[in-house]
Amino acid sequence: MAVIWVVAADGGMARVFVMEGKHHGLREIEGLMSVDAHRPSREIASDRPGRAFSSVGSGRSAMDETDPHRFAKHAFAKQVADMLDEQCSQYDMLVIAAPAKALGDLRKCMSQKVSSKIIAELSKDLTHASPHELSQQLAIIIDYREVSYDPAREQYLKRR
C-alpha cells in the first residue's frame, strides 16, 4: 500500500499528516515549530550591521543588512527538509502545501530523494487548517493529477 504524507508548512510551523485512504482522511503524525520565526527582530539580531573599510582610500561603508526573520524562516525550511529526508523511507509519495516563499525555501533545501517523491504542491498556507479542511483542499489535486485511488485495494496508486 502506497503511503502518502502531506506537509502543511509556513515559515515557522510545519504539520505532517499521513493519508489513510480516500474515506478516512488525514491523521497528524508530526509537528515542528520554529523558535525564532515569531519573535521580534530586535530579539533575533541584537547588533546593527557592521562597517567595513574601503580597500582604496580612507572611506568606510555599512555592510548589507540581513533580515533576521527571513534567515530564521530559511533555517526552519532546512530543518523541515532534513526531517523529510531522514524519514524518506516512511512514505512513498509527498504532497506539500505552503505559501510561495516557504515553498521556494523548501524546494531549495530538499534532497533529490525527497523531491522525486513529490506528487503535488499547493501554494497556500494551510498550517492552521483542520485535517478535514486540509483533505478537502487537496482532494482535487490528489485525485486528478498523478495519483489515483483504487477502491478494490483501498489505497492510492501513483500513475506511471
Side-chain angles (χ1 to χ4, degrees), residues 12-52:
M13 182 171 134
R15 296 170 67 197
V16 181
F17 300 86
V18 65
M19 194 167 274
E20 297 186 320
K22 187 169 186 140
H23 303 291
H24 299 290
L26 300 171
R27 178 175 52 90
E28 190 166 356
I29 57 173
E30 191 160 347
L32 297 170
M33 290 284 289
S34 171
V35 177
D36 291 333
H38 302 292
R39 290 174 47 200
S41 293
R42 67 182 177 278
E43 290 181 12
I44 298 172
S46 60
D47 292 343
R48 291 187 358 216
R51 298 187 62 80

Side-chain angles (χ1 to χ4, degrees), residues 1-156:
M1 184 166 132
V3 177
I4 300 176
W5 274 19
V6 176
V7 176
D10 64 9
M13 182 171 134
R15 296 170 67 197
V16 181
F17 300 86
V18 65
M19 194 167 274
E20 297 186 320
K22 187 169 186 140
H23 303 291
H24 299 290
L26 300 171
R27 178 175 52 90
E28 190 166 356
I29 57 173
E30 191 160 347
L32 297 170
M33 290 284 289
S34 171
V35 177
D36 291 333
H38 302 292
R39 290 174 47 200
S41 293
R42 67 182 177 278
E43 290 181 12
I44 298 172
S46 60
D47 292 343
R48 291 187 358 216
R51 298 187 62 80
F53 288 98
S54 176
S55 59
V56 179
S58 62
R60 288 177 26 153
S61 60
M63 305 283 258
D64 287 337
E65 192 168 335
T66 58
D67 181 7
H69 278 106
R70 191 77 200 106
F71 182 78
K73 289 177 181 184
H74 184 74
F76 181 70
K78 175 75 172 131
Q79 181 184 354
V80 172
D82 288 346
M83 181 273 301
L84 290 171
D85 192 46
E86 290 168 9
Q87 302 288 326
C88 200
S89 64
Q90 302 295 316
Y91 58 93
D92 301 308
M93 293 175 253
L94 183 63
V95 177
I96 299 175
K101 284 187 179 183
L103 193 55
D105 286 344
L106 281 168
R107 282 188 196 129
K108 288 177 192 173
C109 297
M110 278 185 195
S111 68
Q112 182 61 36
K113 174 170 66 168
V114 174
S115 295
S116 68
K117 293 189 176 195
I118 296 174
I119 57 167
E121 293 177 340
L122 180 61
S123 181
K124 193 170 185 179
D125 186 358
L126 297 173
T127 53
H128 299 290
S130 71
H132 178 71
E133 292 169 336
L134 187 57
S135 62
Q136 285 180 333
Q137 290 282 331
L138 299 175
I140 295 169
I141 294 173
I142 292 173
D143 285 341
Y144 300 113
R145 288 226 178 141
E146 298 178 29
V147 177
S148 63
Y149 184 75
D150 183 355
R153 295 189 205 169
E154 290 192 8
Q155 67 181 10
Y156 288 89

